[in-house]
Amino acid sequence: MVGAGFAGVECVRRLERMLSPAEADVTLVTPFAYQLYLPLLPQVASGVLTPQSIAISLRRSKKYRTRIIPGGAIGVDLKAKVCLIRTITDRIVDEPYDYIVLAPGSITRTFDIPGLTEHAFGMKTLAEAAYIRDHVITQLDLADASDDPTERASRLQFVVVGGGYAGTETAACLQRLTHAAVKRYPRLDPALIKWHLIDIAPKLMPELGDKLGRSAQEDLRRRGIEISLGVSIAKAGPEEVTFTDGRVVPTRTLIWTAGVVASPLIATLGAETVKGRLAVDADMCLPGHDGVFALGDAAAVPDLAKDDGAVCPPTAQHAMRQGRRVAENVIAALRHQPMRRYEHKDLGLVVDLGGADAVAKPLGVELHGVPAQAVARGYHLGALRTNVAKTRVITNWLLNAVAGDDFVRTGFQARKPAKLKDFEYTDAYMTTEQVKEHVEKTRASSS
């Protein structure tokens, strides 16, 4: 099993429950022995939740018997049935397999924009969320200490790119952080703090529909967030960002959340892809390769609920259900039974904007405000895998609501800032040719 996201963990847990130890050995490849609950990442960045509250340990299961290899898959030789793994100590391990389930997830989608990867932050990992919180509070500290109005202006303006769920929730949650924190800085004028949310699309979160999309925009604009649609970044520098409409915004904080692409691991397979995602059948098998399954963000799983050849979007809702179905299909393959296709019924969408602000569309019912917030938080609690995680999140929510935040920097903000390129590790993967060459050399040396 490659990947410990929603799809991978759901698959492993079902395999552990349904397979006896004598039937199969289960191995999981992941850099970290936890499942990250990504939808609540913006609340970690804003300090509402602690990092460990959404990092769900993989070793708490009572049926836990999976062997975890701490590292990342960097290549797969489908013919030789070998997965190449770079461990966290930078050692390359060849792991043979009979069946492989590929759920390596996705990475932040970037474009060839000058200065983007050097000066932007991402919002895809737990480390990035914790780091961004430190960085934002650092900007307030440094602006408060500065007597230079130009420096203050650049430190107190923040730009978030991406009008999807991740970008919108990130901007909303962090704006609440700075709005509350500035009260502790009597030398700072709150009017100087400006948040910009921009997206090249004509609508904010178009999946919500026009009515809820407008409601979300009105909530954000009421709180002082400037929303610019049909706009992206032309270039990024250490102290300013240039928009495609010509505006130059002085800022030290550029957060990039403009979508995701499949893990670079998929490119090492030499198999057919659909917009970078591995092309699989409805049973999530890779055509022409026995024992290879793929799902989640990295796979183009046909969406049988639609008739236009669509594929399932990269959401947690799909990933979890696909994980369960793939586990059942792996077991069916082991026991020489027929496999089943993945079909689903959409449960709806929730967007938590912080405080009492939220929009939701459960089962097609449009909600706004407190009812939507109740649905959003109820959904997240239901999706969290363990009771320990649910308890931690509820406790954090209650404590934050009652006591607020202390706005403490934890020290992640080093003298040399870490940016988007420092968290993605996209240079760790091999090419298809390098994978085959490595496997052939290893086999030759062992024979």
Side-chain angles (χ1 to χ4, degrees):
M1 181 77 225
V2 175
F6 288 104
V9 171
E10 199 69 29
C11 181
V12 165
R13 288 296 175 246
R14 180 149 292 203
L15 289 174
E16 287 179 332
R17 287 193 296 270
M18 298 179 68
L19 284 175
S20 68
E23 281 187 279
D25 294 321
V26 182
T27 298
L28 175 63
V29 180
T30 175
F32 310 105
Y34 63 76
Q35 176 193 359
L36 177 63
Y37 189 77
L38 274 168
L40 291 178
L41 212 53
Q43 295 193 33
V44 171
S46 64
V48 173
L49 299 176
T50 59
Q52 55 268 49
S53 64
I54 66 167
I56 305 164
S57 173
L58 299 180
R59 301 187 187 274
R60 294 191 67 96
S61 171
K62 292 180 180 179
K63 294 185 179 293
Y64 166 74
R65 60 183 175 86
T66 296
R67 171 189 171 219
I68 297 178
I69 301 179
I74 59 172
V76 179
D77 189 325
L78 297 175
K79 184 177 180 181
K81 289 200 166 187
V82 174
C83 179
L84 303 186
I85 302 162
R86 190 185 299 276
T87 70
I88 58 175
T89 57
D90 215 29
R91 185 168 65 94
I92 296 179
V93 175
D94 294 16
E95 188 70 20
Y97 64 85
D98 296 309
Y99 297 89
I100 187 169
V101 178
L102 300 171
S106 56
I107 62 172
T108 303
R109 178 182 63 183
T110 57
F111 300 98
D112 190 20
I113 298 172
L116 177 63
T117 58
E118 292 82 9
H119 301 295
F121 298 100
M123 181 60 82
K124 196 78 172 63
T125 68
L126 196 60
E128 285 176 313
Y131 190 93
I132 285 175
R133 171 178 164 80
D134 255 21
H135 170 82
V136 169
I137 296 174
T138 297
Q139 300 317 299
L140 297 179
D141 286 347
L142 292 173
D144 182 65
S146 176
D147 293 321
D148 182 352
T150 301
E151 180 185 356
R152 276 193 171 190
S154 67
R155 294 197 183 280
L156 296 179
Q157 291 207 68
F158 306 88
V159 178
V160 178
V161 183
Y165 305 114
T168 302
E169 290 187 335
T170 295
C173 290
L174 287 173
Q175 185 274 337
R176 282 181 59 85
L177 168 68
T178 56
H179 177 74
V182 75
K183 298 173 184 176
R184 312 285 181 90
Y185 296 85
R187 296 182 70 245
L188 293 182
D189 180 0
L192 293 176
I193 298 179
K194 296 180 182 178
W195 280 88
H196 301 264
L197 175 60
I198 71 172
D199 193 88
I200 195 66
K203 295 181 180 180
L204 202 66
M205 299 179 291
E207 298 88 346
L208 285 173
D210 291 340
K211 182 180 177 181
L212 285 183
R214 284 195 303 270
S215 295
Q217 286 192 52
E218 289 170 4
D219 286 340
L220 297 178
R221 284 180 169 142
R222 172 177 49 80
R223 285 158 49 176
I225 298 176
E226 183 175 323
I227 299 172
S228 301
L229 300 174
V231 176
S232 188
I233 297 295
K235 63 179 180 179
E239 298 181 10
E240 66 179 28
V241 170
T242 303
F243 292 176
T244 51
D245 61 5
R247 283 181 291 165
V248 178
V249 176
T251 183
R252 311 289 180 103
T253 308
L254 171 61
I255 302 173
W256 180 267
T257 66
V260 297
V261 293
S263 164
L265 175 67
I266 299 305
T268 74
L269 305 178
E272 182 184 352
T273 59
V274 177
K275 295 182 179 179
R277 301 167 72 184
L278 195 62
V280 296
D281 295 329
D283 56 9
M284 289 168 283
C285 291
L286 181 63
H289 298 277
D290 291 337
V292 180
F293 300 82
L295 67 163
D297 292 8
V301 180
D303 189 346
L304 300 182
K306 300 177 181 178
D307 300 323
D308 55 0
V311 298
C312 297
T315 64
Q317 191 179 134
H318 280 289
M320 292 172 70
R321 293 192 232 173
Q322 288 171 6
R324 292 192 286 269
R325 179 50 48 84
V326 163
E328 293 165 0
N329 284 346
V330 169
I331 294 168
L334 275 169
R335 297 173 179 171
H336 306 289
Q337 297 171 346
M339 291 185 283
R340 298 169 60 194
R341 303 191 306 172
Y342 171 70
E343 298 183 57
H344 76 97
K345 181 179 180 181
D346 192 10
L347 295 178
L349 305 165
V350 296
V351 182
D352 189 338
L353 302 175
D357 295 330
V359 289
K361 199 174 183 180
L363 301 175
V365 179
E366 296 186 344
L367 300 174
H368 174 257
V370 175
Q373 184 64 275
V375 169
R377 298 207 164 181
Y379 170 81
H380 291 315
L381 288 175
L384 287 166
R385 195 170 45 80
T386 67
N387 289 329
V388 171
K390 297 177 199 290
T391 302
R392 283 184 177 141
V393 168
I394 291 174
T395 302
N396 282 183
W397 280 339
L398 290 174
L399 185 61
N400 186 268
V402 173
D405 196 332
D406 288 327
F407 312 109
V408 174
R409 283 189 290 124
T410 56
F412 288 115
Q413 174 68 37
R415 290 182 181 273
K416 181 183 178 182
K419 297 300 174 72
L420 184 63
K421 65 183 181 68
D422 299 306
F423 288 100
E424 293 283 342
Y425 305 110
T426 52
D427 57 351
Y429 297 86
M430 291 184 173
T431 64
T432 305
E433 292 73 23
Q434 288 172 330
V435 170
K436 292 180 179 179
E437 182 181 351
H438 176 89
V439 172
E440 289 172 358
K441 283 184 178 180
T442 301
R443 291 190 167 181
S445 62
S446 60
S447 61

